[in-house]
Amino acid sequence: MNPINFVILAAILFSIGSAAVLLRRNAIVAFMGVELMLNAANLALVAFSRIHGQLDGQVMAFFVMVVAAAEVVVGLAIIIALFRARQTISLDEPAELKG
Amino acid sequence: MVSPVLFWVVAILTVVPALSLLFARKAVHIAMSIVCVMVGLAAAYVGLDAPFLGVVQIVVYTGAVMMLFLFVLMLVGVDQREDTRETIKGQRWIAFFTAGGIAFLLISVLGRVSIAPQAARVGNPEEIALVLFGRYVLVMEVLGALLITAAVGALIMTHTPRLTPRRTQSEVQAARVLAGADPVNKPMPGVFARHNALDVPARDPEGKPIEHSVSRVLEARHQMSDGDEFRTRLENTSNPEDSQLPNGAPSADSDERTPRIGEEDQK
């Protein structure tokens, strides 16, 4: 089976993740959608690395994982700070700032 | 070539739990489904000749990232209701349409691609390390700086300043004396311990029982024993009416105790 099928699978996962980001109000769930999109990109990178027989794609996926770990730490810290300030993690609540 | 069985197993193992992001109600269920997706992706990496990345995926994503998600979920939002009313009109359909459009666009382009796969280079740790510390060594250093910055940033973000000055131990003690509370610890129960004498009050230097040394629970159940009564029983174990005595008095020749006051009607 051609590894390009994994890239198609990655495209499907990416769309599911983007739909979750657009749809959900819970900040943590939307954040998990972002994680799914990052992982879909990783899967595409690894599949391309397999197709081309080079290791650069896998190294890039490794870098994406490192950046995603840093991003999760900062993002969850932001969510905790938001919860402390407003007692909610809904993404719509801060919109009341616009009046 | 990649085994078709592996591909379909991975596809089902990732897409079906991923759909819970859109349809599941509880955030904890979604987090566990995403853990399942991550494990499926790790299997895909191993199948795509990247065993090192597969292991890293398990360790970093299911082990660290998703557990961090669950941790924060338990901390802030596990009982938060998600409001389903729409603040933007038709947002749900716009979201579905946009995501479907992205999927259609990507798949229609990818469906026409025909690349003949080259011979695989297995991404075992040695090979990855040669590339990582060869061509990409500068990126590696920058990522180290990024990780440290992220850790410090998270510390700053979750830091709360102390609004009141810290109370020292002597201040706590002075406040306790001022409030009229006992300045020392409560005495332990259990004088004349013959059985588990948590129900017998301790005594003060004058010999009077200190009632509050017995647990409030025993007091509420009326299971407290009187110290003097208990002593009489102990000193007079040849009393033939011993077994008739209340409050769990021990008899001379057996370790069995009679039921206490109030214990009967709870059974």
Side-chain angles (χ1 to χ4, degrees):
Chain A
M1 183 172 252
N2 198 316
I4 201 75
N5 288 314
F6 278 99
V7 186
I8 294 174
L9 176 65
I12 294 172
L13 288 177
F14 186 90
S15 341
I16 293 175
S18 64
V21 172
L22 291 172
L23 207 61
R24 303 303 290 244
R25 310 286 173 76
N26 189 327
I28 293 181
V29 177
F31 205 37
M32 281 192 243
V34 176
E35 285 301 308
L36 189 65
M37 289 160 79
L38 281 168
N39 270 285
N42 266 355
L43 181 61
L45 282 172
V46 174
F48 280 130
S49 157
R50 172 68 185 79
I51 291 171
H52 290 285
Q54 298 287 328
L55 286 180
D56 299 62
Q58 293 182 25
V59 173
M60 286 299 162
F62 183 71
F63 289 154
V64 170
M65 279 183 194
V66 176
V67 174
E71 173 240 355
V72 162
V73 168
V74 175
L76 289 179
I78 290 176
I79 288 177
I80 288 183
L82 185 77
F83 179 77
R84 281 212 186 118
R86 313 193 65 98
Q87 305 302 315
T88 179
I89 52 167
S90 171
L91 285 177
D92 268 347
E93 292 289 330
E96 72 196 24
L97 197 64
K98 70 185 179 191
Chain B
M1 280 299 98
V2 185
S3 141
V5 178
L6 177 86
F7 174 78
W8 287 111
V9 168
V10 165
I12 292 169
L13 202 61
T14 51
V15 172
V16 173
L19 285 175
S20 75
L21 265 175
L22 306 179
F23 301 114
R25 282 270 148 255
K26 290 196 172 141
V28 177
H29 295 174
I30 299 175
M32 292 320 288
S33 311
I34 298 299
V35 168
C36 188
V37 174
M38 300 299 178
V39 173
L41 286 180
Y45 293 166
V46 174
L48 285 168
D49 292 323
F52 174 69
L53 271 190
V55 173
V56 169
Q57 168 86 6
I58 295 259
V59 171
V60 171
Y61 272 105
T62 60
V65 170
M66 291 320 293
M67 290 311 118
L68 195 62
F69 265 106
L70 276 178
F71 187 76
V72 172
L73 210 54
M74 296 297 167
L75 203 62
V76 299
V78 79
D79 50 352
Q80 296 246 336
R81 301 295 304 169
E82 191 174 355
D83 54 342
T84 46
R85 69 193 155 77
E86 292 184 320
T87 42
I88 304 170
K89 197 159 168 282
Q91 186 196 1
R92 185 169 303 143
W93 298 114
I94 295 173
F96 274 125
F97 183 75
T98 312
I102 292 174
F104 177 75
L105 183 70
L106 289 175
I107 292 172
S108 63
V109 172
L110 286 171
R112 291 195 221 160
V113 173
S114 63
I115 311 173
Q118 315 280 314
R121 264 181 87 186
V122 179
N124 54 26
E126 289 96 339
E127 297 281 318
I128 294 277
L130 283 178
V131 181
L132 197 60
F133 295 107
R135 279 178 66 191
Y136 294 101
V137 67
L138 186 63
V139 185
M140 188 77 188
E141 306 274 345
V142 173
L143 279 183
L146 174 80
L147 276 179
I148 290 184
T149 316
V152 174
L155 281 182
I156 291 174
M157 212 94 71
T158 52
H159 176 76
T160 46
R162 177 179 282 278
L163 296 175
T164 54
R166 177 188 282 277
R167 296 171 78 203
T168 63
Q169 208 172 4
S170 61
E171 280 167 5
V172 172
Q173 191 65 13
R176 207 161 143 183
V177 172
L178 261 184
D182 221 347
V184 293
N185 290 341
K186 278 164 68 174
M188 296 296 290
V191 286
F192 310 124
R194 172 74 186 266
H195 61 283
N196 290 339
L198 285 172
D199 54 342
V200 184
R203 314 201 132 207
D204 63 1
E206 296 166 5
K208 283 186 282 188
I210 308 171
E211 297 286 335
H212 66 263
S213 67
V214 175
S215 159
R216 280 185 297 121
V217 179
L218 292 182
E219 210 176 320
R221 288 172 167 180
H222 305 291
Q223 288 181 345
M224 251 169 83
S225 293
D226 180 42
D228 285 326
E229 196 185 320
F230 202 80
R231 179 164 57 175
T232 330
R233 263 183 269 136
L234 285 185
E235 288 170 354
N236 193 12
T237 44
S238 57
N239 186 354
E241 292 180 2
D242 206 46
S243 57
Q244 312 300 318
L245 281 174
N247 290 355
S251 75
D253 48 355
S254 95
D255 275 344
E256 291 205 354
R257 59 178 183 80
T258 53
R260 292 172 184 161
I261 301 169
E263 209 174 44
E264 296 256 282
D265 43 57
Q266 283 178 16
K267 276 180 189 166

